[in-house]
Amino acid sequence: MKKFIALSFFIISFSTSFSQSNSYWQQKADYKMEVSMDVKTYQYKGKQELIYTNNSSDTLRKVFYHLYNNAFQPGSEMDMRLQSVKDPDGRMVNKIKVDDKTTKNESRIAKLLPNEIGYLHISNFKQDGQSAVAKEVETILEVTLAKPILPGKTTTFTLDFDGQVPIQIRRSGRNNKEGVELSMAQWYPKIAEFDFEGWHADPYIAREFHGVWGNFDVKITIDKNYLLGGTGYLQNGNEIGYNYQNEGITVKIPKKQKTLTWHFVAPMVHDFTWAADKNYIHDVVKTDFGTTLHFLYKNNPKIIENWKIAQPKTVQLLNFFNTTVGKYPYEQYSVIQGGDGGMEYAMCTLILGEGTLQGLIGVIAHEMGHSWFQHVLATNESKHSWMDEGFTSFIEDLGVNELDEKKVANPFAGAYKAYINLANSGKEQPLSTHADRYDENRSYSIASYSKGELFLTQLEYLIGKENLMKTVKRFYSEFKFKHPTPNDIKRTAERVSGANLDWYLTDWTKTLNTIDYGIKNVVESDGNFLKSTKTKISLERIGRMPMPIDILVEYTDGTKETFYIPLRMMSFEKENPTPEIKRTILKDWAWGNPNYFFEIDKEKTAIKKITIDPSGLMADVKPDNNSYEIK
C-alpha cells in the first residue's frame, strides 16, 4: 500500500507543478508492460499498453518510438560511427595487430553473428483499438496514427514486441566481461519526447537520451533462478524472496515451478531498466532519511569486501546530495553490477563491480548524482549533455571530497586542467553541439563533463559560493520532474543573485570564446603633489570572453590585500569571498576596452606578488601571465 500512496503523491506533485506556470507543458506517458525472457536464447516477447497524453497545443498525426536494440547490428549507424570516428570508445572495439608497430580498431558490432545481435521489432500496433501504420527505421519507429491526437487529449497505444539481447557492447546486453548475464537498458519500445522544440526522435548512434515523464507498471517473467534489480518498487517481494521479502517471511518456490514473474511499479520516471543474474548477492541497507538502498553484485570473493565497504559510503553520499541539492524523492535506489562502466537510470545505476575501492565509490558517486541531474531534472541529454554530465560531475566532486579525510581546497582542479588542455588543443567544439556530432569522443567527454562542471564552479567565481549553492537548490526545487533548459539554470542564478548573466551562458556554451587575462606591467608612478609614490598595475583582456577580476596583492611585510574589478555588463558586485582580507572594489571594466589599470598607494618595492584569480575558479586558458612577482 505504501508504494501506491507514493505514486499518488507523485501525481499530485506533478499536477501542482503545472499549475505554477500556464506556459509550461510536457507530455505524459504511462506504460504497462508484460515481458517474458527466454534465458537460453536471450530472446524476449512482450506486450505494451501506453496511455499517452498530449499536453501541447499541437495536433499530433505521427508519433515516434525508440528501438535502441537495433543499433547493435552490423551496418547500423552506431557501427558506422565506430568505424569512422578517430577515437572510438575502447569498450566497443577490438584492437587488431597490423604489424609490430601498428594496430587498428575493429568494431565489435560489425562482428556480431545473427544470434549475437540485438533487435527489437514491433507488431500489431493499435491506437484505441484501431490499427496504425508503424514503420521501422533502424532505431526509430515512425507511426502514422489512425486518428490525430488533439491538444489536451489522451489516447492508448498497444503493441507487441520481440527482442533479442545483444552480446554486451555498450550499456545494455548479455554476458559482459564481468560475467553479468543480463543488463537490460534501453530494451523496450520507448516513445520519443515531444516538447516545445518538436519531436526528439534521435537515432541511437553513440550516447545520451531524452524521455517522457510517466508511470511504469512492468511484469517480467524469467527463469526462477535469476535475481533481478532495477527501476521501481517490487510489488510481490513476499512471493519472490531473494531478500526482497518482508522481515520474518520465508519464501519457498515449488521445485516444479520453472519461472517467476517480477512485478515492478515506478512512479514519475522517464525510463525503466533492470538487470538479472543467477549469481547476484543482494544486500539491503536502510537509512534514517527515508530511502532504502539495494546493492546487487556478483558472488565473487575478490570484490565482496569492496562492495561491503562501499555501502555506508553510498549512504553518506546520498545524504550529502540530499543536503546539497534537495531531497531524493523516491523511496529506494539500487546500485547494480552490470553494464560496461557506469550509466545512470531511473532509481538505479548499472556499473562495473571490479577494480579498486576508490574507483567503485567514485563511479557510484557520479551515477547516483545523476538521480538529481537527469532523473529528476530531466534535461535533454542529447542537446545539452553538459547540463546532466557537468552538473553531476560538480556534485560528485563535492561529495567525494566530503568523504575524503584529506579534503582539498579546490576539488574541481582536474576539470579545469582537462578543459584548458582541450581549449588550447584546437579540437574544442561549442557546448551547443549535439552529443552525437562531436568530431572526437575525447572532445565530447571533456566538453560535457569538465566544461559543463566549470559552468557551475565559475558561477561561484561570478556570484559567490552562497549564491551558487542557493541557485542549485532553487533550480532543483523549481524544475524537478520537468525538462529544464540552459536558460532555466541561467535565469535561476539571475533571480538568486540579481546579476545579469546572459553573456555568460552565451559565451560559455554557444561559442568557443575563451577567458584570457594577463598582468601587462607593474610600474611606479608619481602620486599627488606630496610626491608620494604609487604603483600602477596594468591589465589586459586577451581572450574574447569577459569576466570580473579578483586580484590578490601580497606585500613584503607579510600582509595581503585584494581588489575586485566588477564586469560592467553584469551590473553586479559579489560579496568578498575572503572577508578576512581587506578588499577594495574598483571601477568596473567594460568589455569594449581590452586594457585596464589601477593604482596602489605603495611603492613597487613593497609588493611581493600580484595574482589574478587567487581562487583558481576562473578558467583562464593561458594562466602563465596571471601572476607577477617583484624581484
Side-chain angles (χ1 to χ4, degrees):
M1 181 62 71
K2 186 177 182 182
K3 306 309 179 192
F4 291 100
I5 293 173
L7 177 60
S8 301
F9 169 76
F10 273 100
I11 294 172
I12 294 169
S13 300
F14 183 67
S15 302
T16 303
S17 72
F18 272 92
S19 68
Q20 295 171 356
S21 173
N22 293 327
S23 62
Y24 181 82
W25 59 269
Q26 61 191 33
Q27 307 295 63
K28 192 167 189 294
D30 292 336
Y31 292 83
K32 282 188 178 180
M33 291 188 283
E34 294 185 7
V35 60
S36 179
M37 173 65 72
D38 184 337
V39 296
K40 294 180 180 179
T41 62
Y42 297 104
Q43 294 175 356
Y44 56 97
K45 294 182 179 294
K47 294 182 178 294
Q48 182 187 97
E49 176 190 274
L50 175 60
I51 300 174
Y52 185 77
T53 303
N54 178 19
N55 289 310
S56 77
S57 59
D58 288 72
T59 296
L60 303 181
R61 292 176 171 81
K62 273 189 173 184
V63 297
F64 298 83
Y65 282 72
H66 296 284
L67 306 175
Y68 293 112
N69 261 7
N70 292 340
F72 301 104
Q73 299 177 14
S76 70
E77 276 197 87
M78 182 181 281
D79 182 25
M80 293 298 99
R81 170 68 171 173
L82 278 175
Q83 296 185 44
S84 61
V85 70
K86 180 181 178 181
D87 60 338
D89 188 324
R91 295 164 291 193
M92 302 175 71
V93 295
N94 295 316
K95 291 285 186 182
I96 305 299
K97 186 175 181 180
V98 177
D99 52 45
D100 290 341
K101 296 182 179 180
T102 311
T103 60
K104 69 176 183 179
N105 294 313
E106 179 184 75
S107 166
R108 290 177 58 208
I109 295 177
K111 296 296 181 180
L112 291 176
L113 300 174
N115 67 335
E116 297 174 333
I117 65 170
Y119 63 71
L120 186 58
H121 300 311
I122 306 304
S123 60
N124 198 29
F125 193 103
K126 293 183 179 180
Q127 177 191 6
D128 295 330
Q130 292 182 265
S131 295
V133 178
K135 177 184 176 184
E136 186 179 307
V137 185
E138 199 171 284
T139 60
I140 297 296
L141 185 75
E142 300 179 3
V143 181
T144 302
L145 297 175
K147 59 181 181 181
I149 312 174
L150 299 177
K153 298 300 181 180
T154 296
T155 193
T156 300
F157 301 129
T158 57
L159 58 85
D160 299 331
F161 59 93
D162 292 273
Q164 179 169 284
V165 186
I167 291 288
Q168 205 286 327
I169 300 289
R170 185 71 178 97
R171 294 193 174 103
S172 59
R174 67 186 198 244
N175 302 317
N176 78 347
K177 67 179 183 179
E178 293 187 347
V180 176
E181 196 157 350
L182 287 167
S183 295
M184 300 296 290
Q186 290 85 50
W187 59 278
Y188 62 95
K190 178 179 178 181
I191 196 160
E193 178 64 87
F194 180 83
D195 62 15
F196 71 101
E197 295 178 311
W199 283 103
H200 296 278
D202 294 317
Y204 189 19
I205 297 175
R207 57 177 70 85
E208 307 309 341
F209 309 99
H210 195 29
V212 188
W213 286 108
N215 305 307
F216 284 74
D217 189 317
V218 181
K219 293 179 179 178
I220 302 165
T221 300
I222 192 170
D223 184 294
K224 68 179 181 181
N225 294 311
Y226 284 73
L227 200 168
L228 272 63
T231 302
Y233 305 114
L234 183 63
Q235 299 298 296
N236 58 339
N238 288 343
E239 300 170 15
I240 295 292
Y242 286 116
N243 208 21
Y244 282 105
Q245 70 271 25
N246 293 335
E247 189 174 348
I249 298 291
T250 299
V251 179
K252 292 185 178 180
I253 308 299
K255 289 184 178 181
K256 293 183 179 181
Q257 184 174 334
K258 301 294 185 182
T259 63
L260 288 173
T261 297
W262 299 63
H263 183 196
F264 293 94
V265 169
M268 279 308 295
V269 295
H270 55 81
D271 200 6
F272 189 98
T273 295
W274 57 282
D277 196 90
K278 296 188 294 290
N279 198 32
Y280 270 150
I281 294 174
H282 176 208
D283 293 335
V284 180
V285 178
K286 296 185 181 296
T287 69
D288 58 6
F289 47 83
T291 302
T292 298
L293 288 163
H294 296 261
F295 296 86
L296 289 86
Y297 54 97
K298 297 282 286 187
N299 188 7
N300 176 354
K302 295 179 180 179
I303 69 171
I304 291 175
E305 182 180 5
N306 279 354
W307 275 81
K308 297 290 187 184
I309 295 172
Q311 292 174 16
K313 299 289 187 182
T314 305
V315 173
Q316 289 178 264
L317 283 165
L318 179 56
N319 192 40
F320 177 80
F321 294 157
N322 279 340
T323 303
T324 304
V325 185
K327 183 73 168 64
Y328 175 72
Y330 305 103
E331 294 177 15
Q332 75 176 51
Y333 183 81
S334 297
V335 180
I336 306 169
Q337 183 181 2
D340 63 337
M343 182 62 191
E344 71 278 6
Y345 300 104
M347 301 172 69
C348 68
T349 180
L350 303 185
I351 64 174
L352 286 180
E354 299 175 6
T356 67
L357 175 62
Q358 183 180 9
L360 181 64
I361 292 171
V363 73
I364 290 173
H366 184 85
E367 304 310 338
M368 188 166 64
H370 274 299
S371 292
W372 285 260
F373 294 110
Q374 183 47 33
H375 286 286
V376 176
L377 295 166
T379 53
N380 185 335
E381 290 183 278
S382 296
K383 294 187 69 173
H384 313 300
S385 53
W386 62 273
M387 291 184 73
D388 73 290
E389 295 296 357
F391 293 7
T392 296
S393 296
F394 172 76
I395 61 169
E396 171 200 355
D397 284 342
L398 284 178
V400 171
N401 194 47
E402 182 71 16
L403 293 186
D404 201 328
E405 294 180 1
K406 298 179 180 179
K407 295 179 175 55
V408 297
N410 183 1
F412 319 111
Y416 280 88
K417 182 179 180 180
Y419 160 70
I420 290 170
N421 285 339
L422 177 65
N424 289 322
S425 73
K427 296 183 178 181
E428 185 187 6
Q429 293 174 245
L431 289 184
S432 56
T433 304
H434 189 286
D436 286 334
R437 292 192 268 288
Y438 280 83
D439 291 337
E440 297 182 17
N441 283 318
R442 175 179 176 271
S443 299
Y444 158 80
S445 296
I446 296 175
S448 300
Y449 290 75
S450 300
K451 191 176 183 182
E453 180 174 9
L454 267 51
F455 180 88
L456 289 183
T457 64
Q458 285 190 133
L459 272 183
E460 177 178 340
Y461 179 78
L462 292 171
I463 62 177
K465 186 172 184 178
E466 183 178 353
N467 280 334
L468 166 63
M469 301 318 294
K470 286 181 179 178
T471 295
V472 170
K473 285 188 173 183
R474 182 166 175 176
F475 182 55
Y476 179 77
S477 175
E478 294 185 355
F479 291 96
K480 57 188 175 183
F481 303 113
K482 297 182 182 180
H483 297 293
T485 66
N487 191 63
D488 292 322
I489 183 64
K490 183 262 291 186
R491 290 292 294 126
T492 302
E494 288 182 330
R495 292 184 180 108
V496 167
S497 66
N500 293 335
L501 295 168
D502 192 62
W503 62 274
Y504 178 57
L505 179 67
T506 298
D507 275 46
W508 193 249
T509 67
K510 297 180 181 180
T511 77
L512 294 181
N513 293 346
T514 57
I515 303 165
D516 184 10
Y517 283 85
I519 301 172
K520 198 171 185 179
N521 57 51
V522 179
V523 297
E524 285 191 350
S525 61
D526 288 336
N528 55 28
F529 65 94
L530 296 176
K531 301 295 182 182
S532 62
T533 303
K534 295 184 176 183
T535 299
K536 179 180 178 181
I537 300 173
S538 297
L539 310 175
E540 59 180 338
R541 176 185 55 76
I542 305 162
R544 292 192 192 97
M545 185 167 173
M547 292 292 276
I549 300 297
D550 286 332
I551 296 173
L552 172 67
V553 179
E554 300 172 73
Y555 298 110
T556 55
D557 63 3
T559 60
K560 298 178 182 179
E561 186 176 10
T562 63
F563 296 84
Y564 173 60
I565 306 173
L567 177 64
R568 181 172 296 178
M569 65 178 69
M570 275 186 72
S571 302
F572 178 80
E573 295 176 2
K574 73 175 175 184
E575 293 291 326
N576 185 359
T578 54
E580 69 278 7
I581 302 175
K582 176 191 173 185
R583 184 181 76 161
T584 300
I585 300 176
L586 304 172
K587 65 178 181 179
D588 59 27
W589 190 344
W591 179 86
N593 185 353
N595 299 300
Y596 186 98
F597 75 89
F598 67 100
E599 292 181 320
I600 297 176
D601 287 323
K602 297 268 190 177
E603 295 180 353
K604 184 177 178 179
T605 55
I607 300 172
K608 180 182 178 182
K609 187 178 181 181
I610 303 168
T611 303
I612 292 177
D613 178 30
S615 69
L617 292 175
M618 185 176 75
D620 191 309
V621 298
K622 303 285 186 182
D624 290 349
N625 57 3
N626 284 14
S627 62
Y628 189 103
E629 292 191 49
I630 312 295
K631 296 182 180 179

